[in-house]
Coordinates of all heavy atoms in Angstrom, one line a residue:
A1476 N 132.7 146.0 -18.4 CA 133.2 147.4 -18.6 C 132.8 148.3 -17.4 O 131.6 148.3 -17.1 CB 132.8 147.9 -19.9
G1477 N 133.7 149.1 -16.9 CA 133.4 150.0 -15.9 C 133.2 149.5 -14.5 O 132.9 150.2 -13.6
A1478 N 133.4 148.2 -14.3 CA 133.2 147.6 -13.0 C 134.2 148.0 -12.0 O 135.4 148.3 -12.4 CB 133.2 146.1 -13.1
V1479 N 133.8 148.1 -10.8 CA 134.8 148.4 -9.7 C 134.8 147.1 -8.8 O 133.8 146.9 -8.1 CB 134.4 149.6 -8.9 CG1 135.4 149.9 -7.7 CG2 134.4 150.9 -9.8
V1480 N 135.8 146.4 -8.8 CA 135.9 145.1 -8.2 C 136.5 145.3 -6.8 O 137.7 145.5 -6.6 CB 136.7 144.1 -9.0 CG1 136.6 142.7 -8.3 CG2 136.2 144.0 -10.4
T1481 N 135.6 145.1 -5.7 CA 136.1 145.4 -4.4 C 136.2 144.1 -3.6 O 136.7 144.1 -2.4 CB 135.1 146.3 -3.7 OG1 133.8 145.7 -3.6 CG2 135.0 147.6 -4.4
A1482 N 135.7 143.0 -4.1 CA 135.7 141.7 -3.4 C 136.0 140.6 -4.3 O 136.0 140.7 -5.6 CB 134.3 141.4 -2.8
D1483 N 136.4 139.4 -3.8 CA 136.8 138.3 -4.6 C 135.7 137.9 -5.6 O 134.5 138.0 -5.3 CB 137.2 137.1 -3.7 CG 138.4 137.4 -2.9 OD1 139.1 138.4 -3.1 OD2 138.7 136.5 -2.0
V1484 N 136.2 137.4 -6.7 CA 135.3 136.9 -7.8 C 135.5 135.4 -8.0 O 136.6 135.0 -8.2 CB 135.6 137.7 -9.1 CG1 134.7 137.1 -10.3 CG2 135.4 139.2 -9.0
P1485 N 134.4 134.7 -7.9 CA 134.5 133.2 -8.0 C 134.9 132.8 -9.5 O 134.7 133.6 -10.4 CB 133.1 132.7 -7.7 CG 132.4 133.8 -7.0 CD 133.0 135.1 -7.6
P1486 N 135.5 131.6 -9.6 CA 135.8 131.1 -11.0 C 134.6 131.1 -11.9 O 133.5 130.8 -11.5 CB 136.3 129.7 -10.7 CG 136.7 129.7 -9.3 CD 135.8 130.6 -8.6
Y1487 N 134.8 131.5 -13.1 CA 133.8 131.5 -14.2 C 132.6 132.4 -13.9 O 131.5 132.1 -14.4 CB 133.4 130.1 -14.5 CG 134.6 129.3 -15.2 CD1 135.5 128.6 -14.5 CD2 134.8 129.5 -16.6 CE1 136.5 127.9 -15.1 CE2 135.9 128.8 -17.2 CZ 136.7 128.1 -16.4 OH 137.8 127.5 -17.0
A1488 N 132.7 133.3 -13.0 CA 131.6 134.3 -12.8 C 131.7 135.5 -13.7 O 132.8 135.8 -14.2 CB 131.7 134.8 -11.3
I1489 N 130.6 136.1 -14.0 CA 130.5 137.3 -14.8 C 130.1 138.4 -13.8 O 129.0 138.2 -13.1 CB 129.5 137.2 -15.9 CG1 129.9 136.1 -16.9 CG2 129.4 138.6 -16.7 CD1 128.9 135.9 -18.0
V1490 N 130.9 139.4 -13.6 CA 130.6 140.5 -12.6 C 130.5 141.8 -13.3 O 131.2 142.0 -14.4 CB 131.6 140.5 -11.5 CG1 131.7 139.2 -10.7 CG2 133.0 140.9 -12.0
G1491 N 129.8 142.7 -12.7 CA 129.6 144.1 -13.3 C 129.1 145.0 -12.2 O 128.5 144.6 -11.2
G1492 N 129.3 146.3 -12.5 CA 128.7 147.3 -11.6 C 129.7 147.9 -10.6 O 130.9 147.5 -10.6
N1493 N 129.2 148.8 -9.8 CA 130.1 149.5 -8.7 C 129.3 149.5 -7.4 O 128.3 150.3 -7.3 CB 130.4 150.9 -9.2 CG 131.3 151.6 -8.2 OD1 131.7 151.0 -7.2 ND2 131.5 152.9 -8.4
P1494 N 129.6 148.7 -6.5 CA 130.7 147.7 -6.5 C 130.3 146.5 -7.4 O 129.0 146.3 -7.5 CB 130.9 147.3 -5.1 CG 129.6 147.5 -4.4 CD 129.0 148.8 -5.1
A1495 N 131.2 145.8 -7.9 CA 130.9 144.7 -8.8 C 130.1 143.6 -8.1 O 130.5 143.2 -6.9 CB 132.2 144.1 -9.4
R1496 N 129.1 143.1 -8.7 CA 128.3 142.0 -8.2 C 128.3 140.8 -9.2 O 128.4 141.1 -10.4 CB 126.9 142.4 -7.9 CG 126.8 143.5 -6.8 CD 127.0 142.9 -5.4 NE 126.7 143.8 -4.3 CZ 127.7 144.5 -3.7 NH1 128.9 144.3 -4.0 NH2 127.4 145.3 -2.7
V1497 N 128.1 139.6 -8.8 CA 128.0 138.5 -9.7 C 126.6 138.6 -10.4 O 125.5 138.7 -9.8 CB 128.0 137.2 -9.0 CG1 127.8 136.0 -10.0 CG2 129.4 137.0 -8.3
I1498 N 126.7 138.7 -11.8 CA 125.5 138.7 -12.6 C 125.0 137.3 -12.9 O 123.8 137.0 -12.7 CB 125.8 139.5 -13.9 CG1 126.2 140.9 -13.6 CG2 124.6 139.4 -14.9 CD1 126.8 141.6 -14.9
R1499 N 125.9 136.5 -13.2 CA 125.6 135.0 -13.4 C 127.0 134.3 -13.5 O 128.0 134.9 -13.6 CB 124.8 134.7 -14.6 CG 125.4 135.1 -15.9 CD 124.5 134.7 -17.1 NE 125.0 135.1 -18.4 CZ 125.8 134.3 -19.1 NH1 126.2 133.1 -18.6 NH2 126.2 134.6 -20.3
T1500 N 126.9 133.0 -13.5 CA 128.1 132.2 -13.7 C 128.0 131.7 -15.2 O 126.9 131.5 -15.7 CB 128.3 131.0 -12.8 OG1 127.1 130.2 -12.8 CG2 128.5 131.6 -11.3
R1501 N 129.2 131.4 -15.7 CA 129.2 131.0 -17.1 C 128.8 129.5 -17.3 O 128.4 129.1 -18.4 CB 130.6 131.2 -17.7 CG 131.0 132.7 -17.8 CD 132.5 132.8 -18.2 NE 132.7 132.1 -19.5 CZ 133.9 131.7 -19.9 NH1 135.0 131.9 -19.1 NH2 134.0 131.1 -21.1
H1502 N 128.9 128.7 -16.2 CA 128.6 127.3 -16.3 C 128.0 126.9 -15.0 O 128.1 127.6 -14.0 CB 129.9 126.5 -16.6 CG 130.7 126.9 -17.8 ND1 130.3 126.5 -19.1 CD2 131.8 127.7 -18.0 CE1 131.1 127.0 -20.0 NE2 132.0 127.8 -19.3
R1503 N 127.5 125.7 -15.0 CA 126.9 125.1 -13.7 C 128.1 124.7 -12.8 O 129.2 124.5 -13.3 CB 126.2 123.8 -14.1 CG 124.9 124.1 -15.0 CD 124.3 122.7 -15.3 NE 125.2 121.8 -16.0 CZ 124.9 120.6 -16.3 NH1 123.7 120.1 -16.0 NH2 125.8 119.8 -16.9
D1504 N 127.8 124.6 -11.5 CA 128.9 124.4 -10.5 C 129.6 123.1 -10.9 O 130.9 123.1 -10.8 CB 128.3 124.2 -9.1 CG 127.8 125.6 -8.6 OD1 128.1 126.6 -9.2 OD2 127.1 125.6 -7.6
E1505 N 128.9 122.0 -11.3 CA 129.6 120.8 -11.5 C 130.5 120.9 -12.8 O 131.6 120.3 -12.9 CB 128.7 119.6 -11.7 CG 127.6 119.8 -12.8 CD 126.3 120.5 -12.2 OE1 126.4 121.3 -11.3 OE2 125.2 120.1 -12.8
D1506 N 130.1 121.7 -13.7 CA 130.9 121.9 -14.9 C 132.1 122.9 -14.6 O 133.2 122.7 -15.2 CB 130.1 122.5 -16.1 CG 129.1 121.6 -16.6 OD1 129.3 120.3 -16.5 OD2 128.1 122.0 -17.2
I1507 N 132.0 123.8 -13.7 CA 133.1 124.6 -13.3 C 134.2 123.8 -12.7 O 135.4 123.9 -12.9 CB 132.6 125.8 -12.4 CG1 131.8 126.8 -13.2 CG2 133.8 126.4 -11.7 CD1 131.1 127.8 -12.3
A1508 N 133.7 122.8 -11.8 CA 134.7 121.9 -11.2 C 135.4 121.1 -12.2 O 136.7 120.9 -12.1 CB 134.0 121.0 -10.2
R1509 N 134.8 120.7 -13.3 CA 135.4 119.9 -14.4 C 136.4 120.8 -15.1 O 137.6 120.4 -15.4 CB 134.4 119.4 -15.3 CG 133.5 118.3 -14.7 CD 132.3 118.1 -15.6 NE 132.7 117.4 -16.9 CZ 131.8 117.3 -17.9 NH1 130.6 117.7 -17.8 NH2 132.2 116.7 -19.0
L1510 N 136.1 122.1 -15.4 CA 137.0 123.0 -16.1 C 138.2 123.3 -15.2 O 139.3 123.3 -15.7 CB 136.2 124.3 -16.4 CG 135.2 124.2 -17.5 CD1 134.3 125.4 -17.5 CD2 135.9 124.1 -18.9
L1511 N 138.0 123.5 -13.9 CA 139.2 123.7 -13.1 C 140.1 122.5 -13.0 O 141.3 122.6 -12.9 CB 138.7 124.1 -11.7 CG 137.9 125.4 -11.6 CD1 137.4 125.6 -10.1 CD2 138.8 126.6 -12.0

C-alpha cells in the first residue's frame, strides 16, 4: 500500500515504499523458476 513503483519489479518480489524497493521475495530463486 502506498508504494511508488519507479523501476521494474522481479517475479514474486514484495515491494514497498517511495520509491519502491524489494523487501523480500516470496520464494527461493529455484522455486520461482519452477513457478514460472
Side-chain angles (χ1 to χ4, degrees):
V1479 178
V1480 185
T1481 62
D1483 291 353
V1484 176
Y1487 292 94
I1489 300 173
V1490 300
N1493 180 8
R1496 297 281 187 261
V1497 175
I1498 299 169
R1499 65 178 177 88
T1500 56
R1501 296 175 55 202
H1502 304 282
R1503 298 177 302 174
D1504 289 348
E1505 56 269 32
D1506 290 335
I1507 290 172
R1509 293 167 66 191
L1510 287 165
L1511 294 175

